[in-house]
Amino acid sequence: MQPTDDFSIFPITTRVNAAGRLSIAGHDLKSLAETYGTPLYVYDGATIRHQAERLQSLFRQYYPGEAAVAYAVKAYFSHALAVKMAEMGLGADVVSYGEIRIAQQAGFPAEGIHLHGNNKSQPELEAALAWGVQAIVVDSLDEMRYLEDLARKNQRRARIWLRITPDLRVNTHPHIETSHADSKFGLHIQNGEAAEAIRFCKNSPHFHLVGLHTHLGSQIFQAEPYRKAIEMLYEVADAEGFVPEEISPGGGWGVRYTEADGPDDAEAWVRTVSEAVAAANHQRGWKLPKVILEPGRWMVARAGVALYRVGSQKMTPNGTHIVAIDGGLADNPRVALYGAQYTARVVERPSDPPTEAMRVVGKFCESGDVLIPHILLPPVQRGELLATPAAGAYQLSMSSNYNFAARPAVVWLEEGRVEVMQCCEQPEQPGWWVYTP
Ligand SMILES: *Cc1c(COP(=O)(O)O)cnc(C)c1O
């Protein structure tokens, strides 16, 4: 049986308060649910700052050159979050016109922005050219030629990173693995495209080729693939006589979703990346490049908690106790997409012994709308609240209006202060679902 006092996958400010209920940053979660409605997503400011500072301090400890952290905003983004991330001194890794605009309006400096994506549109590329971002990350030979043409027409010289695919396998779910030989992402080394792109970009008057990038995938807990990938980037660069000023081994470091998951501290990640880059440059007598990591999940997953209210319960003929909550697939498609595993606590009685086996399901019209297939919890009643930790990444950013569900409200918590980052969508409001010209 899991220990009931272990809140290590919850935000760092999580406590059981004097009323015996779960609280985050001193805020009683039951009161928050009453004020803002459910489902409700809460983000703990202290946890996000803790994650950002941890990476920044690990770089100071392990990397002798310049280093930066760029938040991969697809994990979760909104205007309010963007403003806070920019204030923390982070860069941003963006993949769409919408993300570019939010980052720009929130005050991120152009020098910290990378535009990624395997099929960037003309408006996306032109917005990045006009803004003068740190890097447009070229994903294919086709895109390279297209972008050169746009740069010429717009009379801009684009700062370029090349996304290199090292054709390496990493141990994660196939849907979030990006660096194997059949990946849709990047310029593959194996077929000579990486080398060809380096030659082309070095000689183009419309490009300033500054760096190489790779992204191995997501929810990775081993550092060795990063070392191997960095060595491979340096081998192609060396063969083409290109000395990178910037190196980005992407993001992807994993986080804990349940108590059974292993530790997720980023020390091994930052140390291995730092050592690998330093060694590759030392060996060649090259000047150390700036290293840029792009964590998405690791920055925000632990800070977020989803609060749901319990509704119907039933017992199936084969003895499964089903507990339905007022959210699910529409606000969190990760279970259906990747078989992601979650845990939950009863907000009103987090420390009660978990004596009942149950399946927690959502309210949406899909049998795959299961949040937790099997969990032991204290008995729960209609109207009580379940808190799901590690809900901060790839949930709301992948959420939908399936069944015309309204996307939930999102609040940011500081000690003594609650800030609404997003209101719950309102079906009664004109314009939400009726087209008003
Ligand atoms: C998605 C992505 C990231 C972030 O991945 P996480 O697993 O969330 O850290 C970083 N870089 C690129 C290019 C990505 O596509």
Side-chain angles (χ1 to χ4, degrees), residues 70-75 93 95 114 116-117 137 163 176 178 185 213-220 226 248-254 269 293-299 393-394:
Y71 171 52
V73 311
K74 69 181 190 276
D93 156 356
V95 298
H114 333 129
H116 286 283
V137 189
R163 176 163 179 162
I176 50 176
T178 56
F185 295 105
H213 161 86
T214 190
H215 175 66
L216 301 177
S218 197
Q219 193 58 357
I220 298 169
Y226 288 91
S248 165
W253 197 249
W269 189 33
L293 283 181
E294 304 173 329
R297 190 187 305 275
W298 200 81
M299 287 298 304
Y394 301 108

Side-chain angles (χ1 to χ4, degrees), residues 6 151 193 209 214 243 271-272 317 335 355 403 408 410 414:
D6 176 1
E193 288 190 354
L209 177 62
T214 190
V243 182
R271 178 166 36 79
T272 303
V335 183
T355 51
N403 294 168
V410 186
E414 298 287 353

